[in-house]
Amino acid sequence: MSGSTLIMVALAGIFLLLFLVIRTKLHAFVALLLVSLLVGIAAGMPLNEVIISIQNGMGGTLGFVAVVVGLGAMFGKMLEVSGGAERLASTMISKFGEDKAQWALGVTGFIVAIPVFFDVGFIILVPIVYGLARKTGKSLLHYGIPLLAGLAVTHSFIPPTPGPIAVAELVGAELGWVILFGVLAGIPAMILAGPVFGRFIGKKIHVLIPDYMELEEKEYDKDLPSFAMITSLILIPLVLILFNTLSGVLLEEGNMVREILTFLGHPFVALTIATLLTFYLLGTKRGYSRQEVQNIATKALEPAGIIILVTGAGGVFKQVLIDSGVGEVLGDMMGDSALPPIVLAFLIAAAVRVAQGSATVAMVTAAGLITPLLEMVGMTGPALGLIVIAIASGATVLSHVNDSGFWLVNRYFGMDVKDTLKSWTVMETIIGLTGFVVVLIISFFI
């Protein structure tokens, strides 16, 4: 089959995927599997090889992603149930002072979203935003935008959150580099989209607490865990993973210290250590029975299951593109482009994000399309980490009415669509553009 025909097959598959997700509301997991089947058949693959590609794509992706996302979800659920997020927020506001509460909320969101899903973190912490707005008389956006920016930045850029985990696995990037570049891109993104933009938009749009959202203060049957314990637990897996990556750069192969750090810093081991410590320190040591801890961990896997399956289906799509030969043609076509891979990665993710709304689907689709080019040009090491953040940045921009996050903020802040576009959508776009600019600049030196 000619290269031009394969390109048409790939484009038809992408448009069909968008149609199924947007117009027919077919679940992304099923849509990705169906499109992968059809692309493989249309590209002329033998039917049994299409099935083998699906098995290899799903198995190869989930062998890593399922373990990391599952452990991360249990870790985050224990933090949520124990009141760790509230402890972080209250301590940060106390340390920064009420006049700098915006910065405290931005930093809190940045830390909390490492183990806790974005929407859960927001729902847990939004009563603090309500309390500050009620006390000071300022717009909800003055405090809410910094919190949302902190949560959104980490949710998009820093593992073990599912998005960057999925993209890192699909493009073959080391998590240590992804964490490092995610932090470097995320800090300025959080500052600009959070306290800076929040102060501006809070003066332009005065939002009061909606009548239907007068929440009762959440009560815990146990004292909240200490700030030091919570921050230590969150940092343990990140530090171990970073040590793993840095040891591979600084120490010679065969060095005993490098071997130990490589083992301890593998995401499986690092997250297992952190999760077990969380079960003990936030669970059994604080009076929870073993059965209660088990129930909490089981409950955590319910939302994780959807993310895992969608990511696996993204791996299937990528594998079918490669095995059918479409990927090679796509790689050649993108390789002939005047745009560097990091820019192409951002633009593809942004286009899919705007079209269908889901950041996760945008990330896995962009990763599947860009991977053949990365393999063709031989991109490795830290450069792949930059590609992951570029994709995550593209999948963050221009959130609008087809994104569930848009309506979550709309409901909790009681805004109309126009004001949500002016606040939430602009905030997300600032995050995405800032993250992309940072990694683009770094790419000139790597």
mmCIF file of all heavy atoms in Angstrom, residues 49 74 134 149 160 239 255 257 261 263-264 285 322 347:
data_model
loop_
_atom_site.group_PDB
_atom_site.id
_atom_site.type_symbol
_atom_site.label_atom_id
_atom_site.label_comp_id
_atom_site.label_asym_id
_atom_site.label_seq_id
_atom_site.Cartn_x
_atom_site.Cartn_y
_atom_site.Cartn_z
ATOM 1 N N GLU A 49 -2.881 -10.627 12.615
ATOM 2 C CA GLU A 49 -1.848 -9.702 13.080
ATOM 3 C C GLU A 49 -2.455 -8.461 13.739
ATOM 4 O O GLU A 49 -1.842 -7.860 14.635
ATOM 5 C CB GLU A 49 -0.943 -9.293 11.915
ATOM 6 C CG GLU A 49 -0.037 -10.418 11.441
ATOM 7 C CD GLU A 49 0.964 -9.950 10.394
ATOM 8 O OE1 GLU A 49 1.149 -8.715 10.258
ATOM 9 O OE2 GLU A 49 1.565 -10.821 9.726
ATOM 10 N N MET A 74 -4.098 4.328 45.376
ATOM 11 C CA MET A 74 -4.242 3.909 46.784
ATOM 12 C C MET A 74 -3.513 4.864 47.724
ATOM 13 O O MET A 74 -4.006 5.211 48.798
ATOM 14 C CB MET A 74 -3.726 2.476 46.943
ATOM 15 C CG MET A 74 -4.608 1.441 46.270
ATOM 16 S SD MET A 74 -4.163 -0.269 46.638
ATOM 17 C CE MET A 74 -2.723 -0.462 45.587
ATOM 18 N N ARG A 134 -15.346 34.364 52.084
ATOM 19 C CA ARG A 134 -16.369 34.863 53.010
ATOM 20 C C ARG A 134 -15.753 35.829 54.024
ATOM 21 O O ARG A 134 -16.330 36.871 54.349
ATOM 22 C CB ARG A 134 -17.024 33.679 53.727
ATOM 23 C CG ARG A 134 -18.217 34.077 54.588
ATOM 24 C CD ARG A 134 -18.787 32.886 55.335
ATOM 25 N NE ARG A 134 -19.340 31.889 54.445
ATOM 26 C CZ ARG A 134 -18.838 30.677 54.262
ATOM 27 N NH1 ARG A 134 -17.728 30.324 54.897
ATOM 28 N NH2 ARG A 134 -19.419 29.831 53.453
ATOM 29 N N ALA A 149 -4.870 26.280 39.706
ATOM 30 C CA ALA A 149 -3.637 26.267 38.925
ATOM 31 C C ALA A 149 -2.634 25.278 39.505
ATOM 32 O O ALA A 149 -2.008 24.503 38.764
ATOM 33 C CB ALA A 149 -3.029 27.665 38.880
ATOM 34 N N PRO A 160 3.420 10.761 39.988
ATOM 35 C CA PRO A 160 2.701 9.637 39.372
ATOM 36 C C PRO A 160 1.260 9.924 38.976
ATOM 37 O O PRO A 160 0.435 9.023 39.002
ATOM 38 C CB PRO A 160 2.746 8.588 40.488
ATOM 39 C CG PRO A 160 2.698 9.390 41.757
ATOM 40 C CD PRO A 160 3.474 10.646 41.459
ATOM 41 N N VAL A 239 11.599 11.582 45.096
ATOM 42 C CA VAL A 239 13.042 11.646 45.347
ATOM 43 C C VAL A 239 13.720 10.350 44.910
ATOM 44 O O VAL A 239 14.788 10.365 44.279
ATOM 45 C CB VAL A 239 13.316 11.941 46.835
ATOM 46 C CG1 VAL A 239 14.798 11.775 47.153
ATOM 47 C CG2 VAL A 239 12.858 13.358 47.191
ATOM 48 N N ASN A 255 28.416 0.055 39.266
ATOM 49 C CA ASN A 255 28.610 0.656 40.585
ATOM 50 C C ASN A 255 27.499 0.189 41.521
ATOM 51 O O ASN A 255 26.319 0.247 41.177
ATOM 52 C CB ASN A 255 28.601 2.183 40.449
ATOM 53 C CG ASN A 255 28.880 2.898 41.753
ATOM 54 O OD1 ASN A 255 28.078 2.840 42.668
ATOM 55 N ND2 ASN A 255 30.015 3.582 41.809
ATOM 56 N N VAL A 257 26.295 1.432 44.337
ATOM 57 C CA VAL A 257 25.347 2.482 44.727
ATOM 58 C C VAL A 257 24.331 2.715 43.607
ATOM 59 O O VAL A 257 23.135 2.860 43.859
ATOM 60 C CB VAL A 257 26.093 3.792 45.055
ATOM 61 C CG1 VAL A 257 25.099 4.924 45.328
ATOM 62 C CG2 VAL A 257 27.014 3.596 46.245
ATOM 63 N N LEU A 261 20.285 2.306 43.909
ATOM 64 C CA LEU A 261 19.398 3.436 43.607
ATOM 65 C C LEU A 261 18.491 3.139 42.414
ATOM 66 O O LEU A 261 17.332 3.569 42.382
ATOM 67 C CB LEU A 261 20.228 4.691 43.326
ATOM 68 C CG LEU A 261 20.959 5.299 44.530
ATOM 69 C CD1 LEU A 261 21.816 6.481 44.092
ATOM 70 C CD2 LEU A 261 19.970 5.743 45.602
ATOM 71 N N PHE A 263 17.301 0.217 41.661
ATOM 72 C CA PHE A 263 16.247 -0.669 42.170
ATOM 73 C C PHE A 263 15.230 0.117 42.993
ATOM 74 O O PHE A 263 14.020 0.053 42.741
ATOM 75 C CB PHE A 263 16.865 -1.778 43.010
ATOM 76 C CG PHE A 263 15.851 -2.666 43.693
ATOM 77 C CD1 PHE A 263 15.133 -3.599 42.962
ATOM 78 C CD2 PHE A 263 15.585 -2.535 45.046
ATOM 79 C CE1 PHE A 263 14.177 -4.409 43.574
ATOM 80 C CE2 PHE A 263 14.641 -3.341 45.679
ATOM 81 C CZ PHE A 263 13.935 -4.275 44.934
ATOM 82 N N LEU A 264 15.728 0.877 43.982
ATOM 83 C CA LEU A 264 14.819 1.619 44.868
ATOM 84 C C LEU A 264 14.058 2.701 44.109
ATOM 85 O O LEU A 264 12.934 3.045 44.473
ATOM 86 C CB LEU A 264 15.598 2.257 46.016
ATOM 87 C CG LEU A 264 16.232 1.308 47.031
ATOM 88 C CD1 LEU A 264 17.035 2.094 48.065
ATOM 89 C CD2 LEU A 264 15.158 0.473 47.734
ATOM 90 N N LYS A 285 -1.463 2.874 62.147
ATOM 91 C CA LYS A 285 -0.879 3.588 63.288
ATOM 92 C C LYS A 285 -1.836 4.639 63.852
ATOM 93 O O LYS A 285 -1.719 5.029 65.027
ATOM 94 C CB LYS A 285 0.432 4.257 62.865
ATOM 95 C CG LYS A 285 1.227 4.804 64.042
ATOM 96 C CD LYS A 285 2.564 5.375 63.606
ATOM 97 C CE LYS A 285 3.317 5.902 64.826
ATOM 98 N NZ LYS A 285 4.613 6.509 64.458
ATOM 99 N N ILE A 322 2.174 1.481 14.360
ATOM 100 C CA ILE A 322 3.543 1.038 14.079
ATOM 101 C C ILE A 322 3.549 -0.238 13.244
ATOM 102 O O ILE A 322 4.233 -0.339 12.215
ATOM 103 C CB ILE A 322 4.318 0.830 15.398
ATOM 104 C CG1 ILE A 322 4.543 2.189 16.086
ATOM 105 C CG2 ILE A 322 5.657 0.131 15.143
ATOM 106 C CD1 ILE A 322 5.115 2.084 17.469
ATOM 107 N N LEU A 347 1.424 20.686 19.300
ATOM 108 C CA LEU A 347 0.317 21.056 18.408
ATOM 109 C C LEU A 347 -0.680 19.915 18.219
ATOM 110 O O LEU A 347 -1.901 20.137 18.204
ATOM 111 C CB LEU A 347 0.868 21.497 17.055
ATOM 112 C CG LEU A 347 1.663 22.810 17.043
ATOM 113 C CD1 LEU A 347 2.241 23.071 15.660
ATOM 114 C CD2 LEU A 347 0.791 23.978 17.488
#
